[in-house]
């Protein structure tokens, strides 16, 4: 069987970071296409998800020893579904608890960063990518999602 051509990188690995402050507000970043997203880290093939996320948080936002929540999202696309995205993907979504001071530093790290509470997240959920981030974080804030890994489809 011949392996189909998949453009670089053959395996897309990334971490999405949901920074949630003491007032239950999520840090969102304005993107170039008039939408909103959350901070993301692209990983090298051998990099550890939590280690790379920790390093990014320190370098980008000055957050030392981040407090990861027990709930985290996992998404993987097998090779059989790689045709959808031209490559296999493996992602982790980490919820990180930050202090009010840390969230202010993160918000001020870029000109288009904002902190949105649950009500604004619900109202503007279609503006946030990737799809489902608003549902995940509002479920976490509301307490109706269990601790541990959550498979994201």
């Amino acid at each position: 069987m011949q392996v189909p051509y998949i453009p670089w990188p053959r395996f897309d690995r990334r971490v999405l970071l949901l920074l949630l402050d003491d007032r239950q507000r999520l840090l969102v970043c304005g993107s170039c296409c008039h939408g909103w997203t959350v901070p993301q880290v692209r990983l090298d093939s051998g990099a550890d998800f939590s280690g790379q996320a920790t390093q990014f948080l320190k370098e980008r936002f000055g957050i030392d020893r981040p407090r990861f929540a027990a709930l985290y999202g996992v998404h993987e696309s097998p090779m059989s579904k790689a045709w959808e995205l031209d490559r296999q993907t493996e992602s982790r979504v980490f919820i990180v608890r930050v202090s009010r001071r840390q969230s202010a530093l993160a918000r001020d790290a870029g000109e288009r960063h904002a902190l949105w509470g649950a009500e604004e997240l619900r109202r503007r959920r279609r503006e946030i990518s990737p799809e489902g981030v608003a549902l995940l974080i509002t479920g976490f804030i509301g307490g109706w999602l269990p601790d541990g890994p959550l498979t994201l489809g």
Side-chain angles (χ1 to χ4, degrees):
M1 180 175 141
Q2 186 176 6
V3 176
Y5 171 74
I6 300 175
W8 185 91
R10 294 181 68 82
F11 196 59
D12 186 3
R13 301 176 73 230
R14 64 184 62 221
V15 172
L16 288 82
L17 297 164
L18 307 183
L19 303 180
L20 192 62
D21 75 1
D22 297 341
R23 293 174 53 197
Q24 306 286 46
R25 298 177 303 171
L26 178 70
L27 176 76
V28 290
C29 309
S31 68
C32 63
C33 301
H34 307 294
W36 295 88
T37 188
V38 294
Q40 297 183 33
V41 183
R42 234 170 147 169
L43 281 73
D44 295 328
S45 61
D48 171 59
F49 285 98
S50 61
Q52 200 76 9
T54 299
Q55 181 180 341
F56 175 83
L57 289 167
K58 181 177 173 83
E59 291 173 3
R60 180 76 168 98
F61 299 116
I63 298 173
D64 269 333
R65 295 183 308 252
R67 295 178 296 148
F68 292 100
L71 172 72
Y72 62 94
V74 177
H75 178 267
E76 295 181 27
S77 67
M79 191 61 184
S80 62
K81 294 190 178 185
W83 63 270
E84 294 178 44
L85 302 168
D86 292 337
R87 63 184 57 89
Q88 281 182 274
T89 62
E90 184 178 11
S91 304
R92 298 290 182 272
V93 180
F94 292 134
I95 299 170
V96 182
R97 295 285 198 171
V98 295
S99 68
R100 192 174 301 184
R101 183 185 68 74
Q102 290 171 323
S103 69
L105 288 172
R107 184 194 61 224
D108 295 340
E111 63 184 59
R112 292 215 14 148
H113 288 149
L115 292 164
W116 290 356
E119 195 56 43
E120 188 155 16
L121 289 166
R122 281 187 203 98
R123 190 174 66 250
R124 299 179 72 178
R125 71 187 182 280
R126 287 183 170 66
E127 297 175 48
I128 303 170
S129 68
E131 191 176 323
V133 164
L135 180 61
L136 177 67
I137 200 66
T138 55
F140 178 77
I141 292 169
W144 53 267
L145 290 174
D147 287 347
L150 178 67
T151 302
L152 306 172

